[in-house]
Amino acid sequence: PFGTRKTGVFRYAFIKEAVLDLKKSLKELGGDLLIQFGRPEYVLYDLVKTFKAEKVFVKKEVAHEELQI
């Protein structure tokens, strides 16, 4: 997935740095951010099992490129 036109090396590095910075900022405020990698359907399934979630809210993709994945 990384190395495509939309997620090239530099874009990936920027997003990674921004997300890790957000995690650090949240920790300083007493919170946290769980970061997961993988296909959403598998990651969400595992998270539901792990945290015994009763509800999951998601947003449907509407952009053409994302719908083609």
Side-chain angles (χ1 to χ4, degrees):
F2 308 115
T4 63
R5 211 176 55 166
K6 284 282 193 169
T7 52
V9 175
F10 296 113
R11 183 179 173 101
Y12 170 74
F14 170 77
I15 292 170
K16 178 182 174 185
E17 182 180 337
V19 170
L20 292 176
D21 187 56
L22 174 60
K23 181 176 178 73
K24 180 183 174 204
S25 296
L26 289 171
K27 281 193 159 266
E28 290 171 359
L29 295 170
D32 203 353
L33 178 66
L34 177 64
I35 302 169
Q36 298 286 302
F37 293 92
R39 295 188 58 95
E41 57 270 31
Y42 300 128
V43 171
L44 286 172
Y45 178 80
D46 290 341
L47 289 172
V48 166
K49 284 186 1 182
T50 299
F51 294 102
K52 297 177 177 58
E54 295 179 15
K55 293 183 182 181
V56 175
F57 298 90
V58 297
K59 178 185 167 290
K60 180 180 178 181
E61 291 291 351
V62 294
H64 177 74
E65 290 179 10
E66 283 76 10
L67 292 173
Q68 301 308 308
I69 296 176

